[in-house]
Amino acid sequence: MSHRTLPTVFTLTRRERSGQDCIWCGHALSAGAVPAGIAVGYWGSHNRSTQVYACPGHPNGLTEETQ
């Protein structure tokens, strides 16, 4: 089973950072969103890391070919 590495917080769109879009496919999320993990990012000593979410079709960040 292959897991994806989460992108850094600085490569995300505003909607992905705020939990409105799927971290993997960019589709708008609904009430069925699942946590994908924490996108890490530091600006100097300031921690900008944030929880990100995915569509239910992308459980645990599995790559497309392993689903």
Side-chain angles (χ1 to χ4, degrees):
M1 189 171 358
S2 175
H3 290 273
R4 294 180 182 175
T5 302
L6 286 171
T8 66
V9 76
F10 302 111
T11 62
L12 303 176
T13 66
R14 181 177 292 182
R15 290 183 53 90
E16 289 169 344
R17 281 193 310 270
S18 66
Q20 295 174 328
D21 287 347
C22 176
I23 190 72
W24 304 124
C25 66
H27 288 108
L29 293 172
S30 62
V34 295
I38 297 177
V40 178
Y42 289 88
W43 188 266
S45 63
H46 302 280
N47 185 355
R48 301 293 185 206
S49 301
T50 187
Q51 175 72 44
V52 291
Y53 296 89
C55 297
H58 299 287
N60 301 321
L62 297 177
T63 59
E64 301 296 325
E65 55 274 0
T66 61
Q67 289 187 15

